[in-house]
Amino acid sequence: MTRALFPLLTLVSMALFMVSLLTGPAGFGLGESLQALVTGQGEAVTLVMREIRLPRAILAVMVGASLGLSGAALQGYLRNPLAEPGLIGVSGSAALGAVIAMQTGFAAAFALALPLSALAGAVIAVLLILMLAGPRGGSLTLILAGIAISALAGALMSLALNLSPNPFATSETVFWMMGSLADRSFSHLWLAAPFMALGWALLLPLGRGLDALTLGEDAAAAMGIQLARLRLQLVLGVAACVGAATAVAGAIGFVGLVVPHLLRPIVGARPSVLLPASALGGAAMVLLADIAVRLILPERDLKLGVLMAIIGAPLFLHLIYKTRKAGA
C-alpha cells in the first residue's frame, strides 16, 4: 500500500493542478485555455491563464506541501498527533506582522509590503523561540515557548484591531486573516519560494532522526542522533515553511493537522515516509479546497481558510472519535 501511495498522491495532485488551472469565472473553453497557457495565443485568455490561474495553482501546491510537511515533522518530533504548524507561534507572529503593516498603512506603500512584513514577524518569532527554549531545551520547553509567543501575538493582534482608527483597514485585516490564494501573482510566488524551498531542504532529511525519536530521546541519542541539532533544524524548517505560507496566503489551518492523521495509518506511522507523503497530501488538499472556493458561492469570495476550517474541524473530530474507539 505504501509503495502505491506516492504515485497515487502525485497523480491526484497533478490532476487537481490541471483542474485548478481550468476553474474560474472567465468561462474559457478547455482547448482555448490550454493553448493560451502553452503558446500565449489570445491576449485576454493568456493573461488569465498565465498571470492569474497559474501562480494561484502553483502557490496552492507550495502552501499545501509546506503546511503538510511542517505538521508531520512537528508531530514526529513531539510524538504527539495533535501537534500542528501553528503550535510554535510562527504563523501567529507572521499574521501579527501583516496586521501591523495593514494598520499602519505600510501595506499600501508597495505591493509586497504585506508579505514582507509577515515574513519579518515569522523571523522574529523564530529568534524568540530559540532564545526562550535555549540550546538544550527539550520538546516541552519548545511547546511552552511556542504557546507563549502565539498567545502574545494573538493579544497584540487583538490590540491592534481594537485601537484601529480606520474601519477599512480593520475590515481588510479580518478578511486577510481568513486566508486566501485569490489575486496572488508571481511576485508573491517568487517571494515565498526561497523560504519554502529552504524549509523543505531542512525538514525532509529529518526522517531518520524522527524515526529514531519514536523510541524515545534516550534511545535516539544512543543511536547517534544529535537532538539539539535536530530540534534547531526542525524549528528553522517549520518557521521557513509556515512563515512563508502565512505571508502569501494568510492563516490556513487544519492542513498540517489533518493530512498527517489521514496518511499515518497507511505509512505505518514512520515519520521518514510520512514527511514526503504529507507534503504531497497537503498539496492535494489545498488544491482541492481552492478549487471548491471558486465553485461554491463564487460571487461572494468564500475564503480558503474558512472552508478549510469547515471541512477540517469535523474531519478531525471524526478522527479523534475513531482513535478513541480503537483504544477502548
Side-chain angles (χ1 to χ4, degrees):
M1 183 66 179
T2 303
R3 185 174 298 177
L5 178 64
F6 287 97
L8 178 61
L9 287 174
T10 301
L11 288 174
V12 169
S13 298
M14 291 173 62
L16 289 172
F17 183 84
M18 293 304 299
V19 174
S20 178
L21 287 176
L22 300 172
T23 303
F28 298 120
L30 173 62
E32 184 183 10
S33 298
L34 293 177
Q35 184 179 25
L37 182 64
V38 176
T39 66
Q41 293 183 7
E43 184 177 349
V45 65
T46 299
L47 178 65
V48 170
M49 294 300 297
R50 291 187 175 181
E51 301 299 327
I52 298 176
R53 293 184 185 177
L54 183 59
R56 181 171 182 166
I58 296 174
L59 273 176
V61 172
M62 293 168 57
V63 168
S66 296
L67 295 178
L69 177 60
S70 298
L74 273 174
Q75 290 177 15
Y77 175 74
L78 299 175
R79 286 161 288 165
N80 185 345
L82 297 179
E84 57 98 19
L87 183 65
I88 62 174
V90 176
S91 57
S93 299
L96 174 61
V99 168
I100 292 174
M102 284 184 277
Q103 293 298 327
T104 58
F106 180 58
F110 60 102
L112 296 180
L114 181 61
L116 284 173
S117 300
L119 281 172
V123 170
I124 292 172
V126 173
L127 296 176
L128 288 174
I129 289 169
L130 295 177
M131 182 179 67
L132 291 172
R136 299 184 180 275
S139 58
L140 179 60
T141 308
L142 180 65
I143 292 173
L144 292 176
I147 290 174
I149 292 171
S150 184
L152 178 61
L156 292 176
M157 278 191 288
S158 298
L159 179 64
L161 292 173
N162 181 213
L163 300 179
S164 173
N166 188 344
F168 298 103
T170 301
S171 176
E172 181 185 4
T173 301
V174 171
F175 278 109
W176 182 87
M177 290 173 63
M178 292 179 185
S180 176
L181 290 171
D183 303 322
R184 300 310 190 261
S185 66
F186 275 108
S187 297
H188 296 87
L189 192 154
W190 297 129
L191 176 66
F195 294 93
M196 290 185 180
L198 173 64
W200 302 339
L202 289 170
L203 294 178
L204 286 173
L206 294 179
R208 176 179 171 272
L210 295 178
D211 282 347
L213 202 56
T214 58
L215 303 174
E217 292 188 0
D218 292 337
M223 295 171 65
I225 303 300
Q226 299 180 25
L227 296 179
R229 179 180 176 181
L230 185 147
R231 189 191 62 162
L232 177 62
Q233 193 170 334
L234 174 93
V235 170
L236 293 177
V238 170
C241 285
V242 177
T246 305
V248 296
I252 299 176
F254 287 98
V255 179
L257 186 62
V258 172
V259 171
H261 256 288
L262 292 174
L263 297 176
R264 186 173 287 107
I266 302 175
V267 303
R270 290 172 52 202
S272 58
V273 183
L274 186 60
L275 290 178
S278 295
L280 289 171
M285 175 172 279
V286 174
L287 277 169
L288 181 61
D290 192 48
I291 292 168
V293 299
R294 283 177 271 177
L295 299 177
I296 303 171
L297 300 175
E299 70 283 355
R300 298 299 299 272
D301 188 25
L302 179 63
K303 297 298 182 183
L304 179 61
V306 174
L307 182 64
M308 286 303 309
I310 292 173
I311 297 173
L315 181 60
F316 187 61
L317 289 174
H318 175 66
L319 291 171
I320 293 175
Y321 174 75
K322 283 182 61 179
T323 303
R324 190 190 71 177
K325 192 174 180 181

